[in-house]
Amino acid sequence: MKAVRIHEFGYTTDVLQSEEVPIPEPEPNEILVKIEVASLNRADLALRKGSYRISANELPVIPGREFAGTVAKLGGGVQDFKVGERVVACTGRGGYAEYAIAKLSEALPVPDGLDSATAAAVPTVFLTAWFALITEGRLNAGEWVLVQAGSSGVGMAAIQIAKHLGAKVIATSSSEEKWKRLRQLGADEAIDYTKQNLFMEVMRITTPEGRDHYQERHNPDVMEGVNVLRGMGIDLAARRRPFPPYRGVSVVLEMIGGDIYQKSLQVLAPGGRLISLGGAFGPVPDSTPSLSEGRKASRFSITNHLKTKPEDFRELANLLKFVQEKKFQVIIDRSFPLAEARAAQRHLEGRGHFGKVVLTMS
C-alpha cells in the first residue's frame, strides 16, 4: 500500500517520505480500514518534529491521527462491524496511508448522509471542544466565552458547541473575511487580533451596563477632559454617574500560547476559567498561574482525557449525529492527495486556512 512515513524527525516537511509498505493485519478486537480520507491536525506537525508523544526508537512511523473509510478486514472476535461498513476512527497514528488498523474502541460507524471527508474531520476537533468547554470549562448558558483562533478546526467546533449550550461567543481571527464567516457559524462578536486591542474589545463587549458607557469612558474627548480636570486638582471619584465595573468572559478557550495566553488571562471575569489546549505558536506555563477572585487556568488534552475516560469516545456518535442533522457544520478548507502530504502540512502550518485540511487516497 502507499503510505507516508517519517524516518527521522525534522522541522521541515522534507522528512515526510512517500513509500510502499505492507498492508497491516488486524489482531483480535481490531479492524483493518481502507482509508478514503485522513484529516490533518496540529498534532501531526508536532509528531513530525518529534515533540508529540513519540521517541526516536519508535521510527519509522505513519502520521495521521484520524481517518474515515470502509472496513476491509476483521480481526478475531470482532462482531460490532462488518466488512464494507463505513467507519471513522481516531487512532493517533497511521492515517497517512491507504490502509490502517483501528481498535474497536477507536472506531464508530459513519452516519448515513455524511461523506468521508466530513466524518474524518470531526473526531479530534469536536471531541476536544466538547469536553474542554463542558467538562473542563463548565460553560453555562448565558455566559460569555472567548474562542481564540476561531477559524481553526477546534475554534469553529467550539463556537458551534458554545452556542448549542446557550452561551454567548466572542471569536478572534486575523481578517475581516474570516470574522464574517465566524459570525455565520454563530459567533456573536468577532475580534481581529491583528488590528484591535483584545482587552479593550472584550471589556467593551461584556461590560454589564452596556457598550455606550464603556465607549464613553474611552472616548478620546472624554479622556482629554478627564486629564485636564485631574491637572486642575479636581477629584473625579465623586462622579454623578459612576462607570460600570468591567466584566470579562467566563471561559476562554486558548490554543495559541505565548503572548496570547497572557492576554487571555487578562480578560477573565471573576470566577472565569481559562482552558489551554497547548501552545501552537508560543509557550504555555508548565505550572498553573496564581489568579485572583476565583479565576482559574488549566490545560486540556483530548488524548489524555480519553486515556482516563475511554468511554467518552462514544460521545463522538452524538457529535456525528449533530453534523448529520446539520446542527453543526464541518468546513473543509482544502483537500490534497496523499502524494502531496508535504504541501498539505505546509498549508496547515501557514495559518491562512479556514477549516480542516484533509488528505484523499483516491
Side-chain angles (χ1 to χ4, degrees):
M1 68 175 187
K2 292 181 175 62
V4 173
R5 296 204 297 178
I6 299 170
H7 291 264
E8 60 180 354
F9 301 128
Y11 187 79
T12 71
T13 58
D14 292 343
V15 297
L16 299 175
Q17 301 295 323
S18 295
E19 301 175 348
E20 286 285 342
V21 299
I23 297 175
E25 285 291 321
E27 296 184 357
N29 297 314
E30 293 181 341
I31 57 175
L32 176 67
V33 180
K34 186 178 189 302
I35 299 176
E36 296 175 359
V37 179
S39 173
L40 273 68
N41 292 277
R42 291 207 168 270
D44 300 349
L45 309 181
L47 181 73
R48 185 192 81 211
K49 299 170 186 177
S51 59
Y52 186 80
R53 304 175 187 274
I54 189 172
S55 59
N57 60 10
E58 296 178 78
L59 298 177
V61 65
I62 300 174
R65 61 180 289 123
E66 58 190 356
F67 48 85
T70 57
V71 178
K73 192 172 183 179
L74 305 176
V78 175
Q79 298 180 344
D80 297 338
F81 296 99
K82 60 181 182 294
V83 172
E85 185 175 3
R86 298 180 65 231
V87 294
V88 57
C90 188
T91 60
R93 302 177 190 176
Y96 291 19
E98 293 180 311
Y99 290 88
I101 296 293
K103 298 176 182 178
L104 295 185
S105 59
E106 299 170 334
L108 286 173
V110 174
D112 293 339
L114 285 193
D115 60 80
S116 293
T118 299
V122 171
T124 297
V125 297
F126 275 89
L127 285 171
T128 296
W130 184 267
F131 287 109
L133 290 175
I134 295 176
T135 303
E136 193 73 18
R138 306 184 311 281
L139 182 63
N140 298 309
E143 290 186 318
W144 279 103
V145 56
L146 171 65
V147 178
Q148 298 280 21
S151 59
S152 66
V154 173
M156 288 191 286
I159 290 169
Q160 297 177 82
I161 290 169
K163 294 304 295 182
H164 174 74
L165 297 172
K168 296 173 288 186
V169 180
I170 305 170
T172 65
S173 65
S174 60
S175 69
E176 181 178 353
E177 179 185 356
K178 284 185 177 180
W179 64 250
K180 284 181 179 179
R181 296 180 70 180
L182 294 179
R183 284 180 180 274
Q184 294 173 354
L185 276 179
D188 298 280
E189 300 283 351
I191 298 173
D192 183 345
Y193 64 83
T194 66
K195 298 178 180 178
Q196 296 173 291
N197 181 289
L198 179 68
F199 179 85
M200 298 282 280
E201 287 301 307
V202 169
M203 296 307 165
R204 177 183 66 82
I205 292 167
T206 61
T207 297
E209 297 296 330
R211 302 181 190 181
D212 291 342
H213 287 197
Y214 183 89
Q215 290 170 338
E216 176 188 344
R217 184 171 186 172
H218 292 275
N219 183 286
D221 294 333
V222 172
M223 295 306 297
E224 181 179 356
V226 166
N227 291 331
V228 170
L229 291 173
R230 282 177 175 163
M232 297 170 63
I234 298 175
D235 182 10
L236 301 178
R239 188 178 185 274
R240 181 179 301 173
R241 180 168 64 106
F243 289 112
Y246 293 157
R247 175 61 188 170
V249 295
S250 298
V251 175
V252 178
L253 196 63
E254 201 283 313
M255 59 210 80
I256 301 173
D259 185 49
I260 298 300
Y261 178 89
Q262 299 300 328
K263 290 180 178 179
S264 296
L265 291 174
Q266 296 170 7
V267 300
L268 284 177
R273 292 84 67 194
L274 181 146
I275 303 99
S276 170
L277 304 178
F281 299 100
V284 175
D286 292 329
S287 58
T288 302
S290 178
L291 304 173
S292 62
E293 298 184 273
R295 298 175 177 88
K296 295 181 179 179
S298 62
R299 301 183 70 166
F300 180 82
S301 159
I302 190 60
T303 302
N304 291 342
H305 179 84
L306 293 178
K307 279 185 177 179
T308 58
K309 295 184 177 180
E311 67 277 8
D312 280 354
F313 180 74
R314 295 295 161 183
E315 187 62 42
L316 178 59
N318 292 326
L319 293 168
L320 289 167
K321 190 171 187 295
F322 285 142
V323 176
Q324 180 193 37
E325 295 171 346
K326 302 188 184 307
K327 294 178 180 177
F328 291 161
Q329 295 182 52
V330 175
I331 296 178
I332 305 298
D333 174 81
R334 191 171 171 186
S335 174
F336 293 81
L338 178 63
E340 296 180 18
R342 291 180 178 180
Q345 284 205 358
R346 288 195 296 270
H347 183 65
L348 182 62
E349 285 181 301
R351 300 179 68 176
H353 60 94
F354 187 91
K356 294 289 290 182
V357 180
V358 300
L359 293 174
T360 59
M361 306 304 144
S362 59

